[in-house]
Amino acid sequence: MSLVLAKWRTSLGAAALLALGELVLAALAVAPGGLALAADIGRRPAATVFAAGDWLHVLVDLHVASGAAQQGITPSPMAGASAAPTPLGAIAAWTLVLGTIAAALHSLLYAFLSGAALEQMMGRGSGLWRGGTRWFPVLLRLGVILFFLVPLLGAGMGVALLFVPGNGFTALALKGAVWVVWMAGVGGFFELARVLVVLHSDRSAFVAVRRAARMCAARPLALAGLWLALGAGNWLLSALIVLLTLGTSANSPGLAWAIALFTIAGGTGFKMLRLAAATNAVLVHVDKL
Amino acid sequence: MRGIRYGILVAGGPFFLAAVLLIGRSARTTPDVGSQAASAPSPRPAAQPLAPDVASYDIEATLSPDGKVVQGREVLRYRNVSSDQLEALYLHLYLNAFRSADTVWMREARGGMPGFQFDPSYEGWIRVDSISSVAGPLLPEPDESGTIARVGLPRALLPGEELSLNIAWTAQLPRVFARTGWAPGGFTMVGQWYPKMAVYDARRGGWDREPWHANAEFFHDFGSYTLSVSVPSKRSVLATGEQVGAVSDNGDGTARWQFRASGVTDVAWMAAEAFALRSWQAGEITVTLGLPAASAGEAARYRAIADYALARFGEWLGPYPWPHLAIVVPPESAGAAGGMEYPMLVTTILPPRVLPAGVYLVEGVTAHELAHEWFPMQVASDEARDPWLDEAFAEYLAERVVSERYGADRSLLDWPFARLGYADQLRFGLSRAARLPITRPSWEYTAADYGAAVYGKGGLLLATLERVYGREAFTKALAAYVSEWRWRHPTAADSRAMLSAHLPGGNLVAEGAPVGVDAWLDQLAFGERVLEVRVAKADAAEAVAERVGDALLPIEGTLDLAPAGSRTWVLPPEATKLSLAPDPGESVVALRADPRNTLLIEPNRVDDGLTVDTERAALAGMFARWIELMTAFLQALGQFG
């Protein structure tokens, strides 16, 4: 653990940049809604009710009002005080588009910064920029492989679990847990591949994936435990934070911003911790060979 | 019926999909409730009939071993309470609606009820094997739909005269998909299963000869019933009425159960294997709950809501008048039988398998069905022609009782991060039914519009009227309505007259004259108008509210001022716009319409207020919350990056 933490500390620069990048990308994605709030929509009582945590009631009211507006019974629910209404659909569409762009940019940012962080963790002393640019092409290719493989693996396990008998609560909860563990393992596997790219200076993402597969085959239990602890735990923590804050009031903006920044910092810190653990695991495995 | 209500929920599906996908059910280890009721309590002495007997039945029936066929005989005693001579009688044969996929009912239903489909391999029908009076055999002449049959009489039945008919019939029950039928695993719900006398009412133009429509429910005269059913011995039975005597063994693998009831318009029963029966006293009422034995641990949940609802409805509307109530929880295989009302018997729903604590679907459905024991089981309106007179009232009463018990903003869903009230469920109906009258005959609506208008908009309108006129006055009006029309058949005009007499003016008043409930009902119930207000402008010097809808009803609001203070205002019915200015030395802070959330019937409540400035602190916090959520999304995706 101390070795992992030591490696993690070397990546703090990359983690800070990743956190800043996430903040900017998230703000970009929710900007349409934010701009609407700053304008007329923010002056409607629904906005403050929503901010108070009563979001589901507001969504019901919006749904009802939109339906009535579509029938020409009432004006658009998001019509502001100015002459031009603020179309809710356009805000949602832009948020979707910008969210997708943000997710893509986030992948690119992580491909860059993870390479830089791994250089630091392996003690090569490269600067962030040099380390990032050195590994960006191959890590980007690895990301493309991920883009296709991960949904297949997730859907495949989901379908397989459907055929497992049992529909009661306990059976469904167990199936859900199995799926989460599986996906945590998939995530960990590709982190392993990422580390191996840097360790072996692979220029082929496929070669790194094959190495990762051989390594997992050699030490499946240890690695499974690692991913379970770090991957599933990360998701659980994120989900808990989101659920616990979702229905609570955001009327204390200081607290709301603190939670948002904690989410960002915690998530990026945890991500780097996983990379550090993966690096340590690889180096230990190599030592043992 | 629950299926229609769930049609409303389908319209708001995304919200409920999100709700039910979250796993976290708390284990329920509640103790069993009451005692098993395999043997009957000592019956009370037969009392005077609660209502004048018009159509009374003595029924003997046998359920086949597979639970799919009922053979029955009945003595139907019918008294002509009109001042007309009746040349013929009409019998409802409801089960013939299920005899094929091509009946009137099936064509209107497009093959099923929301969530449940007809299985043509297991159709339903009813056949009158013989019918006779003292004068000899009679001939039933079904109409094209098969669900209503004319029976010519050898001589006219005079006013006040009584006629007895002996009827033998065979009923094939469908595989349950619309309230009645059998399900695998030994469950049979037997409803609308025997030849039933139609209503003759000169005020309604004579005989009720309408074929059974998909959206329609039922309309019958009051009477007394005795019911004797023989069922396979391993089945338990619950029925309309008090059980009479102990269950007797017929010696052939069947057992005989007997029931009697007075002051009822129908009798229904269920027979099921592997069922737990639990009985308890709710005041003067003996309640028997029947539910699958595997779910017996849930009994306390049903008892809790039943006790509460019966007590409150009794306080508001007058006591439940019968000595017994049966609550049937069909098994999962017979979910289509759940959510229905009969005299002295209601069916409700099992909690879904994956359902966390804090979701009150079971309570809402049970409360709705129990409310029907007043509307229409006592105030026996024509459910087919005037469906709102029972469904809207049942929705209003259910909303009121669960909101009182669990909180108005969380009476459907109460989670730490998400809350919904029963009224929110009703509001989904407004998204399509805001301009539909709620007073049409059931067959004049599409299936989706029917639920949205009659249940959703109707329930909301009554809830709005309660807020406008005050809870006490509205409750008194309802109690007077029940008192006046118990054991009778009110029309929509009768109901309206009762409400008008008791609600002449309200809290929302136009300058110079109170606005009676007639104005509300004319425009929003019988009419197609929409009540809609919009706050169009609020700046420091002026605030403007506009009437956007065409319903001319008063709307109240507040004008918040700086440095301090608030003024109330009323937009009178005849006005379309109201412009308000502050006094010298003051400035406008905010204009709000309907600040007390009285107008639940208004479709768009998002624009009912406007502040001069944005409340920056709250909105900054909300922006931070959105960033947090978006970041969590990016990080979740980034687990694989």
Side-chain angles (χ1 to χ4, degrees):
Chain A
M1 190 62 190
S2 59
L3 289 173
V4 170
L5 286 175
K7 287 177 173 38
W8 176 74
R9 277 193 290 270
T10 64
S11 71
L12 286 179
L17 283 174
L18 182 62
L20 183 63
E22 284 184 356
L23 178 62
V24 169
L25 290 173
L28 171 73
V30 301
L35 288 172
L37 282 180
D40 294 333
I41 291 178
R43 297 165 57 201
R44 294 289 182 194
T48 47
V49 170
F50 199 91
D54 212 0
W55 58 280
L56 203 46
H57 286 119
V58 174
L59 290 184
V60 169
D61 278 346
L62 281 172
H63 170 79
V64 174
S66 296
Q70 279 172 14
Q71 296 176 60
I73 295 171
T74 62
S76 162
M78 301 308 284
S82 60
T86 311
L88 185 63
I91 294 172
W94 272 111
T95 303
L96 191 64
V97 167
L98 290 172
T100 305
I101 293 172
L105 290 174
H106 185 267
S107 297
L108 295 177
L109 182 66
Y110 185 63
F112 182 86
L113 289 174
S114 61
L118 285 169
E119 282 271 303
Q120 304 282 342
M121 289 179 193
M122 292 184 192
R124 293 179 183 175
S126 307
L128 282 175
W129 176 258
R130 187 168 171 185
T133 50
R134 185 178 177 194
W135 300 113
F136 180 73
V138 65
L139 291 180
L140 187 62
R141 288 195 288 275
L142 183 64
V144 171
I145 295 175
L146 269 168
F147 180 79
F148 290 102
L149 262 187
V150 168
L152 275 175
L153 291 169
M157 175 56 80
V159 168
L161 287 171
L162 282 176
F163 287 99
V164 173
N167 288 319
F169 168 73
T170 307
L172 284 170
L174 280 173
K175 289 184 191 181
V178 165
W179 189 85
V180 169
V181 168
W182 167 252
M183 295 310 289
V186 167
F189 173 83
F190 283 104
E191 273 172 344
L192 205 60
R194 190 179 298 271
V195 172
L196 289 167
V197 161
V198 177
L199 180 67
H200 294 283
S201 301
D202 284 326
R203 289 295 162 186
S204 166
F206 284 108
V207 170
V209 169
R210 278 202 298 271
R211 284 188 206 275
R214 281 202 295 270
M215 189 174 160
C216 286
R219 301 182 63 205
L221 287 179
L223 291 170
L226 182 68
W227 308 141
L228 175 63
L230 296 178
N234 198 164
W235 281 6
L236 190 62
L237 190 63
S238 296
L240 274 175
I241 291 173
V242 166
L243 287 177
L244 285 173
T245 57
L246 195 60
T248 56
S249 173
N251 281 333
S252 171
L255 182 61
W257 276 107
I259 293 172
L261 293 173
F262 174 78
T263 302
I264 295 169
T268 53
F270 216 111
K271 188 69 176 168
M272 291 302 166
L273 190 64
R274 291 180 63 172
L275 272 183
T279 305
N280 198 59
V282 168
L283 292 175
V284 166
H285 175 77
V286 167
D287 277 347
K288 286 188 175 173
L289 287 178
Chain B
M1 185 224 163
R2 190 219 357 152
I4 304 296
R5 228 175 13 262
Y6 276 14
I8 301 176
L9 289 181
V10 166
F15 305 106
F16 292 93
L17 278 177
V20 299
L21 280 173
L22 286 164
I23 298 173
R25 181 182 183 189
S26 62
R28 296 186 188 281
T29 53
T30 49
D32 280 350
V33 172
S35 59
Q36 186 132 358
S39 58
S42 303
R44 301 167 191 231
Q48 291 296 317
L50 289 170
D53 283 344
V54 178
S56 297
Y57 301 75
D58 297 313
I59 303 176
E60 291 186 13
T62 301
L63 183 67
S64 62
D66 60 5
K68 298 177 183 177
V69 178
V70 178
Q71 301 250 269
R73 305 185 66 84
E74 67 189 33
V75 175
L76 193 170
R77 297 185 304 283
Y78 177 72
R79 188 159 57 88
N80 181 2
V81 295
S82 75
S83 54
D84 300 327
Q85 297 185 17
L86 304 178
E87 303 287 341
L89 306 175
Y90 285 82
L91 296 175
H92 286 286
L93 305 171
Y94 290 109
L95 283 177
N96 285 333
F98 308 135
R99 62 187 178 186
S100 77
D102 197 38
T103 62
V104 168
W105 197 101
M106 283 297 183
R107 288 198 301 271
E108 290 177 3
R110 297 188 186 179
M113 306 291 283
F116 306 101
Q117 285 296 303
F118 172 62
D119 186 343
S121 310
Y122 301 107
E123 59 198 21
W125 46 261
I126 180 169
R127 182 184 68 226
V128 175
D129 296 321
S130 68
I131 176 169
S132 63
S133 68
V134 290
L138 301 171
L139 181 67
E141 299 165 84
D143 71 349
E144 183 199 9
S145 74
T147 59
I148 188 95
R150 181 182 182 277
V151 179
L153 297 176
R155 69 163 180 84
L157 188 66
L158 301 175
E161 199 174 5
E162 183 171 294
L163 171 72
S164 278
L165 298 177
N166 291 291
I167 306 177
W169 79 92
T170 304
Q172 163 84 40
L173 298 168
R175 183 163 182 167
V176 65
F177 77 103
R179 311 180 185 94
T180 191
W182 58 270
F187 177 85
T188 304
M189 183 69 216
V190 189
Q192 315 308 331
W193 58 289
Y194 58 100
K196 298 175 73 173
M197 185 66 71
V199 173
Y200 184 90
D201 188 342
R203 292 196 310 153
R204 290 176 163 86
W207 283 109
D208 171 28
R209 292 183 285 180
E210 196 67 35
W212 191 25
H213 296 273
N215 287 337
E217 294 193 22
F218 312 105
F219 180 42
H220 295 282
D221 284 311
F222 288 95
S224 296
Y225 284 72
T226 64
L227 174 68
S228 171
V229 294
S230 290
V231 303
S233 299
K234 55 188 173 178
R235 293 195 181 216
S236 302
V237 176
L238 282 178
T240 297
E242 280 184 289
Q243 191 174 341
V244 178
V247 181
S248 58
D249 185 350
N250 293 331
D252 58 356
T254 66
R256 187 162 171 248
W257 299 65
Q258 298 181 83
F259 301 86
R260 71 169 179 228
S262 140
V264 295
T265 55
D266 189 12
V267 64
W269 52 287
M270 76 100 209
E273 296 176 20
F275 244 54
L277 298 184
R278 299 287 181 266
S279 286
W280 67 90
Q281 285 299 122
E284 296 290 313
I285 313 164
T286 303
V287 184
T288 302
L289 169 71
L291 71 171
S295 302
E298 300 282 351
R301 181 174 185 172
Y302 295 97
R303 176 173 180 170
I305 187 60
D307 285 353
Y308 190 84
L310 286 171
R312 296 303 275 153
F313 294 157
E315 285 172 33
W316 300 337
L317 307 171
Y320 179 88
W322 301 284
H324 188 263
L325 171 70
I327 302 176
V328 174
V329 185
E332 203 174 321
S333 60
M340 183 56 189
E341 71 279 3
Y342 306 91
M344 301 173 70
L345 184 151
V346 298
T347 70
T348 179
I349 59 172
L350 268 180
R353 283 175 185 264
V354 181
L355 191 70
V359 181
Y360 300 119
L361 284 172
V362 165
E363 286 77 6
V365 171
T366 306
H368 175 99
E369 303 309 333
L370 290 174
H372 277 307
E373 295 301 307
W374 280 261
F375 304 98
M377 300 310 164
Q378 296 176 55
V379 180
S381 53
D382 184 344
E383 294 187 81
R385 199 169 296 274
D386 299 313
W388 72 288
L389 291 183
D390 69 296
E391 296 299 354
F393 283 74
E395 283 288 53
Y396 157 72
L397 289 166
E399 191 276 331
R400 183 172 167 182
V401 85
V402 297
S403 293
E404 191 179 270
R405 184 161 171 82
Y406 303 110
D409 65 337
R410 60 195 71 199
S411 50
L412 184 64
L413 176 70
D414 186 7
W415 287 341
F417 52 88
R419 290 175 294 277
L420 272 182
Y422 195 99
D424 292 304
Q425 171 191 224
L426 300 181
R427 281 183 57 76
F428 277 120
L430 276 186
S431 66
R432 64 180 299 132
R435 205 173 271 292
L436 285 177
I438 67 171
T439 53
R440 288 179 180 165
S442 56
W443 54 84
E444 291 187 10
Y445 297 98
T446 64
D449 283 349
Y450 176 65
V454 173
Y455 287 69
K457 183 181 170 186
L460 280 177
L461 178 59
L462 293 176
T464 299
L465 293 178
E466 182 213 84
R467 285 153 175 78
V468 168
Y469 290 96
R471 177 158 282 188
E472 190 180 336
F474 192 73
T475 305
K476 279 185 182 167
L478 287 186
Y481 174 40
V482 173
S483 177
E484 175 68 24
W485 285 98
R486 180 183 281 125
W487 315 132
R488 297 166 67 192
H489 301 308
T491 61
D494 297 324
S495 306
R496 179 193 164 147
M498 280 301 301
L499 292 175
S500 292
H502 288 85
L503 299 170
N507 290 335
L508 294 180
V509 295
E511 290 175 357
V515 176
V517 73
D518 275 339
W520 293 84
L521 293 175
D522 278 343
Q523 298 182 76
L524 302 181
F526 292 89
E528 299 179 359
R529 297 196 178 194
V530 174
L531 181 62
E532 188 60 60
V533 65
R534 176 168 172 263
V535 174
K537 179 182 178 184
D539 62 34
E542 188 187 22
V544 176
E546 295 174 339
R547 183 186 302 282
V548 177
D550 51 2
L552 303 179
L553 294 163
I555 298 168
E556 65 178 14
T558 55
L559 177 70
D560 298 336
L561 300 162
S566 177
R567 262 193 258 156
T568 57
W569 53 268
V570 173
L571 183 64
E574 65 278 6
T576 57
K577 189 172 175 178
L578 184 69
S579 177
L580 298 163
D583 290 335
E586 291 178 328
S587 62
V588 175
V589 171
L591 184 68
R592 301 182 202 279
D594 189 30
R596 294 187 291 154
N597 280 330
T598 298
L599 304 177
L600 299 181
I601 197 69
E602 185 191 10
N604 183 352
R605 302 201 300 177
V606 177
D607 58 4
D608 282 0
L610 204 57
T611 55
V612 173
D613 297 314
T614 53
E615 297 189 25
R616 295 184 191 282
L619 299 179
M622 195 154 71
F623 191 61
R625 184 63 50 78
W626 288 354
I627 286 180
E628 174 204 331
L629 294 174
M630 181 57 68
T631 304
F633 167 68
L634 293 175
Q635 289 179 350
L637 286 185
Q639 295 304 319
F640 308 102

